[in-house]
Amino acid sequence: MTQNNDLQLHVAMYPWLAMGHITSFLRIANKLAERGHKITLFLPPKTQLRFAPQNHHPELITFITVALPPVDGFPSWAETTNDIPAESRNLLMTAMDLTQDTIETHLINLKPNIVFYDFTCWLPELARKHGIKSVIYLSGFIVGVAHSFQFMQFFVSQSDSNAHITSPSPPFPSPFIKMHAYEKQNNDNLSSGNVGGGMSFVERYFKSLQECDAIGVKTCKEMEGIFCEYIEKNYGKRVLTAGPVRPDPHTDELDERFSQWLAGFKPGRPFLAALKPPTGYETIESALPEGFTERTAGRGIVYGGWVQQQLILQHPSVGCFITHCGVGSLSEAMVNKCQLVMIPNAVDQFINARMMSGELKAGVEVEKREEDGFLSREAVCKAVTTVMDEENQVGREVRANHTRWREFILKEGVEESYISSFIKDLQQLLLA
C-alpha cells in the first residue's frame, strides 16, 4: 500500500531497549513505511538480528547500529532488559545516555525531520539543536500519563515525596482510574533512586514529557478520547493518536511442542505458564515448590523461556489469558478471543488493569489483600471462574465488551483512518 503525501516523513527512532518497547516502535514503523515513509531505528547489533524478521519494509526501514558504551557493572554482552536483572536497568539507562554523542552524529548525517523516543529525555533538546521535531511515543494507554502528570509534577517540585495520594484530584474524568495504597507505595519508590544520569524514573519521564513537541500514542479516541483531551487542556501538550496499531499476522507457525499439547485440550483449566525466574533464582524450575511438576504432570506446562505469545493466544484451545498487563500483551489479547484476567505488578500495569477492568470492562482483575497487595491462589481461581463461567453475570458483561472492542479494533478501515490522520498530524507538526 502506498499513500501520496506532499511531504515524505523521515522518522528516527530510539526506544528504551526493552523488548516490548522495541516491538511497539517497530510496529508503528511498519505502518508508516507501508505508506511510503522512511524510518531509521537505532538498535544494538544483536538486537537488530532478533528484530530483523519483524521489519516488513527493509527498503524503507533501516536499522542503524548503536553500540552501548562500557558501564561499570553492566555486562559487555547485554543489550536489552531481557539480558539483565531488574536491579541493573539503571545501568542500561546509563549506557543509553552515553550514546548521546553517537546519536547526535547520526542525526546530523541522516537529517530526519522527526525523532521518536520514550525515556531518553535528552533527545528533545538534541533534536531542537538540529531543527528536528521530537515526539515521545507511548506504546500504552494515554490514561497512565493523564493520571501521573500531576504526581510527577509534585515529586519533581517537592523535596518531600512521602505523601500518599491514591487518586488524582478533580476534575479527572474517570472514577475507575485510581491506585491502592500499596500500589502507590510501590510507585513512590520510582521517585527516589538513580535510574541513570542522577535522575529518578519520575524525573526522567517527566522531563521526557515536558520537553517533547508532541505526544504520540498507540490508542483510539473511542477508547481514550477523554484522557487525550484532559492532557491537551490541562498540560498544553498536543496528543497524536495512532490508532490500534494492530500486530501484523505472524508468518511462522507455533512451536510443535506447544501446538500438539494445546491441541489435546478444550478451553478450560489446563495451563501454560510462561514465567521469569523470581528474584534469587536463576531458573523458573528451581523456584517451583517441591513436587509441583509431578502433581501437575499432564495438566500444565511451566516454561521459563521466550514463547510465541501471539500465536498461543490465537490458538482455539486457549480460553483465558492471565496477564501482568504489559501493553504489548494487552494489545495482542484484545484482538484475540481468549478472556482476560489481570494481575498487575508495577508502574503503568496498575493503571492498565483499571482501564481494562473498569473503564472498558473487558477483563477481570484479580483481587489482592488491601493492606499489602498479597495475592492468593483462591483469588486467581475466582477471577478465572468469573470470566469463563457462561452463567456468571459479570463474566457475560466482560465477554460481551471484549467482543465489542475486538470487533472495533479489527473493523475494516479503522486502522487505515487512524494511521492516515497520524501521518497528517506529524506533517502539520513540521509546519508549526
Side-chain angles (χ1 to χ4, degrees):
M1 180 188 303
T2 59
Q3 178 172 304
N4 294 322
N5 293 293
D6 295 331
L7 175 64
Q8 183 194 41
L9 299 172
H10 179 186
V11 181
M13 299 183 175
Y14 195 25
W16 168 235
L17 295 177
M19 305 307 284
H21 288 245
I22 299 170
T23 298
S24 179
F25 273 62
L26 187 51
R27 280 178 182 165
I28 190 63
N30 277 314
K31 304 298 182 183
L32 296 175
E34 185 180 355
R35 290 152 180 86
H37 299 283
K38 184 178 180 181
I39 309 295
T40 297
L41 186 57
F42 300 125
L43 291 174
K46 291 183 295 184
T47 305
Q48 290 184 27
L49 295 176
R50 181 161 190 173
F51 280 92
Q54 297 179 41
N55 179 357
H56 303 313
H57 302 277
E59 74 285 358
L60 285 169
I61 301 176
T62 303
F63 290 171
I64 297 291
T65 298
V66 174
L68 295 176
V71 173
D72 288 344
F74 187 71
S76 59
W77 50 266
E79 292 186 347
T80 72
T81 57
N82 267 31
D83 302 325
I84 54 175
E87 57 267 24
S88 295
R89 290 179 182 178
N90 64 311
L91 301 179
L92 175 58
M93 193 73 257
T94 298
M96 290 185 68
D97 287 345
L98 292 174
T99 66
Q100 184 169 342
D101 289 343
T102 301
I103 296 297
E104 181 172 20
T105 298
H106 285 309
L107 294 180
I108 292 171
N109 293 332
L110 295 167
K111 296 179 174 58
N113 40 34
I114 300 175
V115 62
F116 280 18
Y117 68 102
D118 41 22
F119 298 155
T120 47
C121 59
W122 41 265
L123 251 175
E125 182 178 355
L126 194 65
R128 278 194 298 272
K129 179 180 174 182
H130 299 288
I132 302 167
K133 296 293 186 180
S134 62
V135 173
I136 182 171
Y137 183 71
L138 309 176
S139 54
F141 291 122
I142 194 72
V143 64
V145 173
H147 180 269
S148 301
F149 234 126
Q150 62 183 292
F151 298 149
M152 287 189 284
Q153 287 178 314
F154 174 79
F155 284 128
V156 170
S157 63
Q158 301 293 320
S159 58
D160 180 9
S161 59
N162 293 321
H164 294 286
I165 306 169
T166 59
S167 62
S169 57
F172 195 74
S174 171
F176 301 108
I177 308 303
K178 54 188 176 181
M179 295 176 67
H180 300 289
Y182 64 84
E183 296 172 338
K184 183 60 171 54
Q185 182 62 53
N186 180 299
N187 278 7
D188 277 355
N189 296 331
L190 299 176
S191 66
S192 60
N194 177 15
V195 295
M199 290 183 287
S200 69
F201 175 80
V202 169
E203 291 170 322
R204 176 177 288 273
Y205 195 41
F206 185 57
K207 184 177 180 181
S208 294
L209 287 163
Q210 272 189 317
E211 296 292 322
C212 70
D213 291 306
I215 299 173
V217 59
K218 184 192 77 66
T219 195
C220 303
K221 291 180 179 178
E222 289 82 355
M223 291 181 169
E224 293 196 281
I226 56 174
F227 305 115
C228 295
E229 293 171 4
Y230 180 85
I231 290 174
E232 291 183 328
K233 178 181 178 181
N234 292 284
Y235 302 106
K237 288 294 181 182
R238 189 177 177 196
V239 177
L240 316 181
T241 51
V245 193
R246 299 192 300 255
D248 290 320
H250 269 261
T251 56
D252 52 348
E253 295 183 355
L254 181 59
D255 185 278
E256 187 175 351
R257 170 189 177 181
F258 296 125
S259 63
Q260 289 186 351
W261 185 79
L262 287 169
F265 295 107
K266 296 179 180 179
R269 297 302 174 85
F271 64 88
L272 165 58
L275 306 170
K276 288 184 179 181
T279 302
Y281 294 87
E282 291 189 2
T283 66
I284 188 63
E285 290 77 15
S286 63
L288 295 174
E290 184 177 355
F292 178 86
T293 303
E294 291 74 18
R295 291 197 305 273
T296 61
R299 295 193 296 115
I301 295 176
V302 176
Y303 190 70
W306 180 82
V307 297
Q308 299 160 291
Q309 180 171 280
Q310 189 175 341
L311 292 174
I312 290 172
L313 293 182
Q314 68 189 39
H315 194 284
S317 290
V318 176
C320 180
F321 176 39
I322 302 177
T323 174
H324 68 309
C325 297
V327 292
S329 294
L330 290 177
S331 295
E332 293 176 357
M334 286 295 282
V335 296
N336 285 295
K337 295 182 179 181
C338 55
Q339 303 308 313
L340 272 170
V341 166
M342 293 163 286
I343 308 178
N345 292 316
V347 199
D348 61 327
Q349 297 168 9
F350 300 129
I351 300 301
N352 292 345
R354 307 297 123 77
M355 181 69 188
M356 292 295 299
S357 62
E359 193 69 29
L360 302 182
K361 294 182 172 57
V364 171
E365 184 176 351
V366 175
E367 296 178 5
K368 298 180 182 180
R369 195 161 61 194
E370 183 60 35
E371 56 266 32
D372 58 5
F374 176 77
L375 175 72
S376 70
R377 58 186 178 183
E378 291 81 10
V380 176
C381 183
K382 178 183 177 182
V384 172
T385 300
T386 297
V387 297
M388 297 301 294
D389 183 0
E390 294 183 0
E391 301 303 318
N392 186 287
Q393 184 175 348
V394 174
R396 284 200 300 268
E397 180 184 16
V398 164
R399 290 191 296 273
N401 285 327
H402 189 171
T403 298
R404 180 167 63 91
W405 286 117
R406 183 181 72 251
E407 290 175 347
F408 166 74
I409 292 171
L410 296 175
K411 185 178 179 181
E412 185 177 357
V414 168
E415 182 172 85
E416 173 61 30
S417 176
Y418 265 105
I419 293 296
S420 296
S421 295
F422 186 63
I423 290 170
K424 290 178 182 177
D425 287 339
L426 292 174
Q427 291 169 333
Q428 290 174 4
L429 182 66
L430 296 179
L431 302 175

